[in-house]
Amino acid sequence: MISAKNIWQNTDAPLHVGLLVLNESNMLSLAAAVDPMRACNRRADRVLFSWQFLAQGGQEVSLTSGMVLQTEDISGFIGDLLILVAGFALEQHSTPALTIALRRCVVDGTHLWGVDGGSWVMAQAGLLDGHRATCHWEDAEAFARRFSAVNLVPDRYAISGPFATTGGASPCIDLMLHLITSRHGRALSERVAAAFIYDPIHAGEAPQQMIATTRIAAKHPRIARILKQMENLIDSPPTIKALARANGISTRKLELEFKAATGRAPGTYFLDLRLSEARRRAIDSAQSVQEIALACGFTSQASFARAFRQAFGQSVTALRRQH
């Protein structure tokens, strides 16, 4: 396999992107991938991104809005990045021919991103085994059950090797802005975000569940309240038993209700929340490792270091060096 190109390096060289769009995708997910590139070219007043729309056999693609997209055959694609946009009927679209096409691109050194249902199709092709990935929160439980070899995280977007996945359209904008920042600087990415009045720009590690609290509150108001409590108590995390007692229920009942509402165990969710905040601080702040550990509720720097490495595959120092 050819080593994947480094699409994250600072450069003025144009990046050529293929947008592989499956039938029954939504327009917003497609726009989230395309429009940041268009706006970036316009704000920079030069071509920093070029792109083409692709499909199996170059067939017309019908979006959920009724819009029909003209495409080119993916078999002829040569580029730096392939973005797979998918929505519904994922099993139907995950054909052997599509799997072969995706694997060919990866073997050729092309980065592969999945937007919305794109992560499901990539996992179905066996490409995400052993990698961190995310998917839309509605699909998380089924995804984890189906693809146990994938390290599923509840993040807005996840980058792992030559792959990246997003939970939906809005996180795709965040990922595109992150790419623009890496290649062309924060000033340009902020101008692109301002063009869409897109504020704030979220880190990839921001949990999707924070955004879904309103929905959870409709059926599980107590769990929505506990989620907020967890967010507010990252620096001094209570035990799950203490959370249950503070909310007037047994530990067992909290665990059952939490799993029904989020698809995850409360202890696992709370730890991931704290580690995600630790990762954000590692990248975005100059705090020492000890300060980050204490701010995220770890009284032992050694236990924090072990948990961080297990979650992200590297130390805080290595992560900072990478960024």
Side-chain angles (χ1 to χ4, degrees):
M1 183 176 75
I2 299 173
S3 296
K5 309 170 181 75
N6 183 5
I7 64 172
W8 302 104
Q9 64 184 346
N10 184 266
T11 177
D12 282 334
L15 187 76
H16 186 59
V17 180
L19 293 137
L20 176 58
V21 188
L22 304 189
N23 280 309
E24 299 185 66
S25 298
N26 72 70
M27 189 184 299
L28 190 58
S29 292
L30 177 59
V34 176
D35 262 12
M37 294 190 288
R38 175 200 58 77
C40 183
N41 287 350
R42 184 179 181 191
R43 292 301 184 276
D45 198 28
R46 62 187 187 278
V47 176
L48 297 177
F49 291 93
S50 61
W51 59 89
Q52 63 188 117
F53 300 106
L54 305 167
Q56 282 285 300
Q59 299 176 345
E60 290 184 344
V61 173
S62 297
L63 305 181
T64 53
S65 62
M67 177 181 175
V68 176
L69 187 69
Q70 302 298 320
T71 70
E72 300 174 61
D73 191 348
I74 188 178
S75 65
F77 173 68
I78 300 175
D80 308 295
L81 169 63
L82 180 66
I83 302 178
L84 170 59
V85 182
F88 298 96
L90 301 176
E91 291 288 346
Q92 175 184 334
H93 299 318
S94 298
T95 63
L98 179 60
T99 295
I100 291 171
L102 294 177
R103 288 178 176 173
R104 175 190 66 81
C105 288
V106 173
V107 168
D108 288 344
T110 302
H111 283 248
L112 175 61
W113 294 3
V115 179
D116 199 355
S119 54
W120 185 285
V121 179
M122 290 165 63
Q124 179 75 13
L127 294 169
L128 295 180
D129 289 359
H131 286 274
R132 294 176 71 252
T134 191
C135 66
H136 195 282
W137 55 264
E138 287 184 320
D139 302 323
E141 188 171 0
F143 188 104
R145 212 169 37 236
R146 178 71 177 275
F147 306 113
S148 58
V150 180
N151 180 13
L152 183 67
V153 293
D155 302 357
R156 290 177 64 80
Y157 66 83
I159 301 170
S160 184
F163 306 114
T165 48
T166 84
S170 177
C172 181
I173 297 176
D174 295 318
L175 178 58
M176 295 303 297
L177 291 172
H178 177 54
L179 178 64
I180 293 169
T181 299
S182 297
R183 293 180 67 83
H184 310 296
R186 184 173 296 278
L188 181 55
S189 70
E190 289 179 346
R191 289 168 59 200
V192 172
F196 300 121
I197 320 180
Y198 190 74
D199 180 55
I201 301 172
H202 303 86
E205 300 79 25
Q208 292 181 44
Q209 197 59 62
M210 290 183 178
I211 300 167
T213 302
T214 302
R215 166 194 162 269
I216 289 177
K219 289 186 176 181
H220 304 277
R222 179 160 47 202
I223 298 304
R225 185 170 64 249
I226 291 172
L227 288 171
K228 286 296 184 184
Q229 291 169 359
M230 287 178 170
E231 292 172 23
N232 294 332
L233 295 169
I234 283 178
D235 60 340
S236 53
T239 64
I240 301 304
K241 183 178 180 180
L243 273 175
R245 186 167 53 247
N247 286 276
I249 56 175
S250 68
T251 303
R252 179 59 176 161
K253 187 170 180 59
L254 186 154
E255 291 172 343
L256 291 173
E257 289 188 6
F258 201 98
K259 185 69 180 292
T262 69
R264 310 184 69 203
T268 302
Y269 177 92
F270 205 1
L271 178 59
D272 286 349
L273 184 67
R274 293 159 56 207
L275 288 169
S276 292
E277 174 62 12
R279 190 177 192 277
R280 185 193 68 77
R281 287 172 181 262
I283 295 172
D284 296 338
S285 80
Q287 289 180 314
S288 68
V289 174
Q290 183 177 9
E291 288 171 330
I292 294 173
L294 291 173
C296 297
F298 292 88
T299 56
S300 164
Q301 188 172 329
S303 64
F304 167 67
R306 285 194 301 272
F308 193 94
R309 183 178 291 277
Q310 184 174 355
F312 304 115
Q314 58 188 333
S315 66
V316 170
T317 302
L319 176 67
R320 283 177 160 167
R321 191 181 301 119
Q322 175 184 328
H323 283 263

